[in-house]
Amino acid sequence: MKVLIIDDSNFQRKIVKSLVESLGLKSIEAENGDIGLNMLKSERVDCIVLDLLMPGKSGIEVLQELKSEGNTIPVIVLSADIQKTTRENVDQLGAHIFINKPLKKEELISSIKSALKIS
């Protein structure tokens, strides 16, 4: 199984990558939404871990594009944005789980397991 990590923070991508790989999963990384969406055209992934606030195409725009294309890959959203309206918007756009930053290791691991239906 493969997880696509879309986050403009190299530090955050490395943390998520290490957690994904600790579960025995493969990962690929994109530093913004445009690159992530392009990667989906050539890579088969089973889950996406997505930051919301990024330069270029934001996480919200990525979710909008995925929804408009009928994409059903589970998306785990990571964000420091704690506004209720943001969370509601993300839910309406079909995100599987919303996790507040700073990231808690156990929360991300259980979210990935839930999204991929693994134990």
Side-chain angles (χ1 to χ4, degrees):
M1 291 189 172
K2 190 185 301 180
V3 177
L4 171 58
I5 304 160
I6 307 174
D7 197 315
D8 60 318
S9 164
N10 185 49
F11 178 72
Q12 192 73 34
R13 285 195 316 271
K14 297 300 176 215
I15 292 171
V16 173
K17 178 182 174 115
S18 71
L19 293 175
V20 165
E21 293 179 353
S22 76
L23 294 170
L25 305 170
K26 294 179 181 165
S27 67
I28 54 175
E29 301 174 43
E31 56 266 14
N32 65 48
D34 290 308
I35 293 171
L37 288 168
N38 278 333
M39 290 176 95
L40 288 174
K41 293 174 184 167
S42 60
E43 295 272 354
R44 186 179 114 48
V45 302
D46 302 288
C47 181
I48 299 169
V49 177
L50 177 66
D51 184 27
L52 284 187
L53 302 174
M54 297 180 285
K57 195 162 280 194
S58 72
I60 293 288
E61 291 169 312
V62 170
L63 284 170
Q64 289 168 335
E65 196 162 321
L66 291 172
K67 185 174 182 174
S68 74
E69 293 172 356
N71 196 314
T72 59
I73 299 169
V75 178
I76 298 168
V77 171
L78 302 177
S79 182
D81 186 337
I82 58 169
Q83 296 179 72
K84 185 179 177 194
T85 54
T86 300
R87 186 179 287 261
E88 289 169 353
N89 193 14
V90 163
D91 287 343
Q92 289 169 352
L93 291 170
H96 181 72
I97 295 172
F98 185 101
I99 299 176
N100 287 326
K101 288 182 180 179
L103 180 63
K104 293 178 192 73
K105 180 173 133 178
E106 302 77 22
E107 188 175 14
L108 180 61
I109 287 173
S110 69
S111 297
I112 291 170
K113 286 179 175 180
S114 167
L116 295 174
K117 297 177 174 61
I118 59 176
S119 54

